[in-house]
Amino acid sequence: MAVNKYGRIYQTGAALSVKYRTLIINDIIDSGGNAASAFVPYRLLSSLATKFSVNITTVKNIWVKYCEDGNASRRKGTGRPSKLRDEDLEYIKFLKMENPSCTAKEIKSKLLENTTAVEVHTSAISRAIRIHRLVGDDRTRKRHHTSKDRY
């Protein structure tokens, strides 16, 4: 947890909650804001920024996004699409179930010889295993032992 320069406590890397976004939007509308024309009364953004202890740019961005799509929630991030298709992910999962200690390099070679997968980097395979939880079972995870387990 951290404190911004306006005094609001926040978690690093976490977006402003939908609750706060909705409160900001409702305050703008109650004060005469118009979502159809994106109109905001003079100096309202700065007063709301002070009220909610956020930057004025944050208030403006929330309002502009709301005017564009009528929604208070965040947009889904668009990042780079994966080269691995659903069939490739299923095959990786099958390989990890058969042999949980199989490395990403071994999986890459088996993918290339047994499927029509495009050339992918081993880091993409490792990321897919981690993100999609394509692990076989508990044997693939590190064990955490307490001292009483050892004796």
Side-chain angles (χ1 to χ4, degrees):
M1 298 297 237
V3 178
N4 70 6
K5 68 181 184 178
Y6 306 105
R8 187 176 64 83
I9 298 172
Y10 68 98
Q11 183 175 354
T12 306
L16 199 62
S17 70
V18 175
K19 174 185 147 191
Y20 267 108
R21 291 168 179 272
T22 306
L23 288 172
I24 290 170
I25 291 166
N26 288 340
D27 277 6
I28 293 173
I29 292 171
D30 292 344
S31 299
N34 184 347
S37 65
F39 170 76
V40 179
Y42 184 67
R43 295 197 180 179
L44 180 63
L45 295 180
S46 60
S47 66
L48 289 177
T50 304
K51 176 181 176 182
F52 291 103
S53 301
V54 294
N55 194 311
I56 190 169
T57 307
T58 303
V59 176
K60 182 183 78 84
N61 289 342
I62 290 169
W63 178 247
V64 168
K65 187 205 159 295
Y66 177 75
C67 291
E68 287 174 0
D69 60 14
N71 195 345
S73 62
R74 294 184 63 227
R75 291 184 180 128
K76 181 170 176 12
T78 58
R80 177 179 222 150
S82 175
K83 290 184 178 180
L84 294 169
R85 300 171 309 201
D86 290 338
E87 304 87 45
D88 300 331
L89 294 174
E90 286 297 319
Y91 187 62
I92 292 170
K93 185 174 185 175
F94 168 76
L95 292 174
K96 288 302 276 184
M97 294 283 272
E98 291 294 311
N99 183 7
S101 62
C102 187
T103 65
K105 190 173 183 179
E106 294 167 342
I107 291 173
K108 178 183 175 180
S109 66
K110 289 180 181 180
L111 261 176
L112 292 174
E113 65 187 47
N114 296 328
T115 66
T116 59
V118 295
E119 182 72 28
V120 292
H121 200 272
T122 54
S123 63
I125 294 170
S126 298
R127 190 177 315 110
I129 292 169
R130 186 178 68 250
I131 292 172
H132 298 289
R133 301 186 193 278
L134 301 177
V135 290
D137 57 10
D138 290 337
R139 292 177 291 165
T140 60
R141 292 187 177 86
K142 186 176 180 180
R143 302 247 191 257
H144 296 285
H145 297 286
T146 59
S147 58
K148 69 179 181 180
D149 292 337
R150 288 187 220 134
Y151 301 107

